[in-house]
Amino acid sequence: MNHVTMRDVAREAGVSVNTVSRALAGKPDVSPQTRAKVLEVAERLGYRPNKLARGLRSNKTFTLGVIVTDIANPFFAELVKGVEETARKNGYSILLEDTSEDPKKEEKAIQVMLAERVDGLLVTPVQSTRRALEEVLKSGFPFVLMGRYFPDLDAPYVVTDDVQGAIIAVEHLINLGHRKIAHVAGPLHISSAQDRLSGYIKALERHGITVREEYILKEAVTLEDGYRAGKELLQLRPLPSAVFAYSDFVAVGIMQAILEEGFRIPADISLVGYDDILFSAYTKVPLTTIRIPKRTLGSEAVRMLLKSLARKKSLSAKAKRLGVDLVVRDSTGRKGVR
Amino acid sequence: MNHVTMRDVAREAGVSVNTVSRALAGKPDVSPQTRAKVLEVAERLGYRPNKLARGLRSNKTFTLGVIVTDIANPFFAELVKGVEETARKNGYSILLEDTSEDPKKEEKAIQVMLAERVDGLLVTPVQSTRRALEEVLKSGFPFVLMGRYFPDLDAPYVVTDDVQGAIIAVEHLINLGHRKIAHVAGPLHISSAQDRLSGYIKALERHGITVREEYILKEAVTLEDGYRAGKELLQLRPLPSAVFAYSDFVAVGIMQAILEEGFRIPADISLVGYDDILFSAYTKVPLTTIRIPKRTLGSEAVRMLLKSLARKKSLSAKAKRLGVDLVVRDSTGRKGVR
DNA sequence: CTGTTAGCGCCTTCAT
DNA sequence: ATGAAGGCGCTAACAG
């Protein structure tokens, strides 16, 4: 397994290594014949430039580090798909790390990526600590946060408007006549969970509905968390007539719990999720949810990062907030209509 | 954004670059004091080895190339999760490429990976052409196929036993009294689709049930394909009383079509999927399916690849076939029992 | 035990 | 239009 190098091509073509380099790079000062010859030989020998050598020399690796919290989560999988496509289209490769929401792994991942000399970093931060990212920021290394951000950190990010999304979701319920609306929130150190909670509260207040502490359940991420929260929810009195969940994942768990206890959706309880993952249309009761442009989130993050790479060092802390849509399916209905 | 190099550490510690190298590498011939000093300085300066330089010099990059056909597909997302975890645990990074089932992209991806000088390749082949992979094989470059294989190619792979899985699925239906069993197959250039079809046929024959051409629908991959196939299925006379689908994805599409037409599952038609992806337990009718160990598939592939890297060049074409399980949920029931 | 030398493959001067 | 020289950061081989 020996790779063909420029030297091999040079020898075979009877020119210097340098000439091969310029010919392959499309530099102007190479005679057409020489260029043709070089290209022919390179092709014939199956020459592939060594990205390591190139990166070492030029300080550009054309690879981006992507750090996500859980690639098995369909939400992040879609996001990564968007990242991969766009990066590839621009000639960049991607190095992937999965932190499993573990801040230690995140820190480690960042170190590894830096050691790999990626040109920039795209990260979905765990957010239970921010030290590692603050250091990266301070060092001036280019990176963009995806899907989550630190409100008080001057770092570039691409997210969706989760406050607005939550408002849309909750107002949809309010418009259907619901007033006893519960919220199963996510882990509040995560910005999206925080924002969705704010949106929920804002929407209620906007419509003169009192926010009840006991209607807000917390820290649900997995489907199982949702299931447990769903069971809890059903103990509440007065029983909520609608629930807004942090994510579709959580919503499906809640749905499971509700149906299991013999309640009907939406006849007894309406349910709204968030994300619109692949399967939300096919759950027991097709889920009304907030659609967020997952791939676009990824591709926009790449675009922002590449832009900051282009105009060198200066990565002024840009931020982009993408819009979201309400997708009405069967899990929500008018209050009291059975 | 200037990286700290060994030279910086050497200067600061008052030793030679080489000494820094040996100290950091844990080589024996360095005095304890010198080592301590070097480590301290490296730490203080925030030294991170440059993997490019290291790779260039040592011909080992400690990165693995991972090529999948669709990272947004929960099946592959899980697979990649397994790969990532295991690779990381062994000190390897992973470079990810998504081919979207496009053979051209696959070929390109392989070239890029080779240019990146990955130590080995893990690939879920598109299988509509094999030229590119044959070349890799011939070159002796280490790689392992995941989830799909070429029956007549002497290349290492890790797959699940899909023939057996299909037999289990179909025999489950037969045991429930079904004899008019249809199969919605996948694209037959993909080995798993081929194997599942074989298993289906084998199971029928084994039980003396005639295989009817018209009961075998083909080339379904997406949920939409499944939906269309489902509609077709319902036109068949005599109407099948059970359907075995290529994948859960396809099965969910079929389910949608069946329910939409007013048939009941499993009362009118039983349905079995394949893969047991995350959501199969939460579909309208929870899906009976074949569980395949997705993460294990990934981690086993990594293990096999690393083993072949360890014993240098020689990558004798090993093959590993993992077992699968039947997961009975609500989509299958005894024939004729309503 | 430590330092010097060389070279991995490429690209950027600088000469010719 | 082409070649020679140097160096990116690191490690292996050889001195001392």
Side-chain angles (χ1 to χ4, degrees):
Chain A
M1 192 49 229
N2 279 317
H3 291 283
V4 178
T5 75
M6 278 195 177
R7 243 207 345 239
D8 302 327
V9 177
R11 189 169 350 169
E12 182 78 9
V15 297
S16 78
V17 170
N18 190 331
T19 303
V20 174
S21 176
R22 352 185 28 92
L24 260 29
K27 292 286 171 74
D29 45 1
V30 178
S31 79
Q33 306 93 295
T34 311
R35 163 162 297 136
K37 175 73 179 167
V38 168
L39 289 177
E40 181 267 315
V41 173
E43 170 67 25
R44 180 155 51 80
L45 264 44
Y47 169 77
R48 295 290 141 201
N50 183 327
K51 280 219 195 185
L52 299 180
R54 187 174 280 180
L56 184 59
R57 179 65 242 240
S58 61
N59 250 323
K60 293 259 316 157
T61 54
F62 289 96
T63 98
L64 266 24
V66 177
I67 303 178
V68 294
T69 56
D70 182 15
I71 186 65
N73 181 320
F75 175 81
F76 293 116
E78 282 277 355
L79 180 75
V80 169
K81 179 107 179 179
V83 168
E84 207 274 344
E85 277 178 359
T86 313
R88 189 76 46 207
K89 213 168 291 170
N90 288 278
Y92 282 77
S93 290
I94 93 178
L95 221 33
L96 179 76
E97 297 229 15
D98 184 316
T99 60
S100 299
E101 299 279 3
D102 177 346
K104 289 213 194 67
K105 283 194 186 161
E106 176 175 279
E107 181 149 10
K108 189 93 181 295
I110 293 175
Q111 298 305 344
V112 172
M113 294 292 192
L114 294 182
E116 304 259 11
R117 298 302 190 264
V118 295
D119 291 341
L121 236 33
L122 292 162
V123 9
T124 296
V126 173
Q127 298 202 301
S128 61
T129 165
R130 53 202 294 176
R131 233 201 36 249
L133 279 168
E134 276 175 337
E135 263 176 44
V136 177
L137 181 62
K138 200 160 42 175
S139 80
F141 190 86
F143 76 106
V144 171
L145 264 24
M146 301 183 295
R148 303 175 179 182
Y149 67 105
F150 297 92
D152 53 346
L153 195 66
D154 198 29
Y157 60 85
V158 178
V159 297
T160 48
D161 193 337
D162 285 326
V163 174
Q164 183 58 20
I167 291 178
I168 294 172
V170 175
E171 289 197 330
H172 166 64
L173 292 170
I174 293 174
N175 290 339
L176 288 170
H178 297 278
R179 299 190 57 89
K180 296 194 294 276
I181 302 171
H183 177 44
V184 177
L188 295 180
H189 57 88
I190 299 175
S191 62
S192 58
Q194 193 61 252
D195 282 356
R196 291 170 201 178
L197 172 59
S198 311
Y200 161 80
I201 293 174
K202 216 171 268 187
L204 293 186
E205 286 175 344
R206 190 177 289 177
H207 292 264
I209 301 173
T210 328
V211 176
R212 298 171 176 241
E213 264 311 319
E214 67 275 23
Y215 272 13
I216 302 177
L217 307 196
K218 281 168 189 159
E219 307 288 307
V221 227
T222 65
L223 213 144
E224 289 70 28
D225 293 340
Y227 180 80
R228 273 188 296 272
K231 293 282 182 175
E232 266 183 69
L233 222 51
L234 296 172
Q235 307 301 323
L236 294 173
R237 293 296 174 275
L239 189 69
S241 70
V243 184
F244 167 49
Y246 167 56
S247 71
D248 284 357
F249 249 100
V250 170
V252 171
I254 297 173
M255 180 183 295
Q256 188 74 1
I258 293 177
L259 297 178
E260 210 173 279
E261 296 292 326
F263 291 89
R264 286 159 308 165
I265 298 175
D268 299 315
I269 298 183
S270 282
L271 180 61
V272 181
Y274 207 106
D275 286 349
D276 192 32
I277 55 179
L278 205 51
F279 272 83
S280 303
Y282 303 96
T283 48
K284 285 194 183 145
V285 180
L287 195 62
T288 292
T289 188
I290 299 294
R291 169 173 299 152
I292 99 176
K294 296 166 277 292
R295 293 199 193 179
T296 309
L297 205 56
S299 51
E300 282 301 324
V302 171
R303 262 186 274 278
M304 185 180 288
L305 183 56
L306 293 186
K307 217 174 283 176
S308 98
L309 292 185
R311 60 174 193 293
K312 311 282 175 187
K313 339 214 112 209
S314 78
L315 77 158
S316 68
K318 276 269 167 65
K320 188 153 195 169
R321 226 170 261 271
L322 306 178
V324 298
D325 297 305
L326 174 70
V327 182
V328 178
R329 288 198 273 253
D330 306 347
S331 69
T332 49
R334 187 152 286 285
K335 193 202 165 225
V337 177
R338 307 212 162 177
Chain B
M1 191 51 228
N2 278 317
H3 291 281
V4 178
T5 76
M6 278 193 175
R7 243 208 343 239
D8 301 327
V9 177
R11 188 169 351 168
E12 181 78 10
V15 296
S16 77
V17 170
N18 190 321
T19 303
V20 173
S21 175
R22 350 185 31 92
L24 259 29
K27 292 285 172 75
D29 45 2
V30 179
S31 78
Q33 305 93 296
T34 310
R35 162 162 297 134
K37 176 72 178 167
V38 167
L39 290 176
E40 181 267 316
V41 173
E43 170 68 24
R44 181 155 51 79
L45 266 43
Y47 169 77
R48 295 292 141 200
N50 183 328
K51 280 219 196 185
L52 298 179
R54 185 176 282 179
L56 183 60
R57 180 65 241 232
S58 62
N59 249 323
K60 293 259 317 159
T61 54
F62 288 96
T63 98
L64 267 23
V66 177
I67 303 177
V68 294
T69 56
D70 180 16
I71 186 65
N73 181 320
F75 175 81
F76 293 116
E78 282 276 355
L79 180 76
V80 169
K81 179 107 180 177
V83 167
E84 206 273 345
E85 278 177 359
T86 314
R88 190 76 47 207
K89 213 169 290 171
N90 287 278
Y92 283 77
S93 290
I94 92 177
L95 221 33
L96 179 75
E97 297 228 17
D98 185 316
T99 60
S100 299
E101 298 280 2
D102 177 347
K104 290 212 192 64
K105 284 194 187 164
E106 177 175 279
E107 181 148 10
K108 188 91 182 296
I110 293 175
Q111 298 306 344
V112 172
M113 294 292 191
L114 294 181
E116 303 259 12
R117 297 304 191 263
V118 295
D119 290 341
L121 236 33
L122 292 162
V123 12
T124 297
V126 172
Q127 297 201 302
S128 61
T129 165
R130 52 202 294 173
R131 234 201 35 249
L133 278 168
E134 276 175 337
E135 262 177 44
V136 177
L137 181 62
K138 199 159 45 175
S139 79
F141 190 86
F143 75 106
V144 171
L145 264 24
M146 300 183 294
R148 302 176 179 180
Y149 67 105
F150 296 93
D152 54 345
L153 195 66
D154 199 29
Y157 60 85
V158 178
V159 297
T160 48
D161 193 335
D162 285 326
V163 175
Q164 182 59 21
I167 291 177
I168 294 172
V170 175
E171 289 197 330
H172 167 64
L173 292 170
I174 293 174
N175 290 338
L176 288 170
H178 296 279
R179 300 189 59 88
K180 296 194 294 277
I181 303 171
H183 177 43
V184 177
L188 296 179
H189 57 89
I190 299 176
S191 62
S192 58
Q194 194 60 252
D195 283 355
R196 290 170 202 178
L197 173 59
S198 311
Y200 160 80
I201 293 173
K202 215 171 266 186
L204 292 187
E205 287 175 344
R206 191 178 288 176
H207 291 266
I209 300 172
T210 328
V211 176
R212 298 170 177 240
E213 266 310 320
E214 68 275 23
Y215 272 13
I216 303 177
L217 306 196
K218 281 167 189 159
E219 308 288 308
V221 225
T222 65
L223 214 144
E224 288 72 28
D225 293 340
Y227 180 80
R228 274 188 295 271
K231 293 282 184 173
E232 267 183 69
L233 224 50
L234 297 172
Q235 307 301 324
L236 293 174
R237 292 297 174 274
L239 190 68
S241 70
V243 184
F244 167 50
Y246 167 56
S247 72
D248 284 357
F249 250 98
V250 171
V252 171
I254 297 173
M255 180 183 295
Q256 189 75 0
I258 292 177
L259 297 177
E260 209 172 280
E261 296 292 327
F263 292 88
R264 287 158 308 165
I265 298 174
D268 300 315
I269 299 182
S270 281
L271 180 60
V272 182
Y274 207 106
D275 286 348
D276 192 33
I277 55 179
L278 207 50
F279 273 82
S280 303
Y282 303 95
T283 47
K284 285 194 183 145
V285 180
L287 196 61
T288 292
T289 188
I290 300 294
R291 168 173 299 152
I292 99 176
K294 296 165 276 293
R295 293 202 192 177
T296 310
L297 206 56
S299 51
E300 283 300 325
V302 172
R303 262 186 273 279
M304 185 180 288
L305 183 56
L306 293 186
K307 217 174 284 177
S308 97
L309 292 185
R311 61 173 194 293
K312 311 282 176 188
K313 340 212 112 206
S314 77
L315 77 160
S316 69
K318 275 270 166 64
K320 189 153 196 168
R321 227 170 261 272
L322 306 178
V324 298
D325 297 305
L326 174 70
V327 182
V328 179
R329 288 198 274 254
D330 306 347
S331 69
T332 49
R334 187 152 286 285
K335 194 204 165 225
V337 176
R338 306 210 164 178

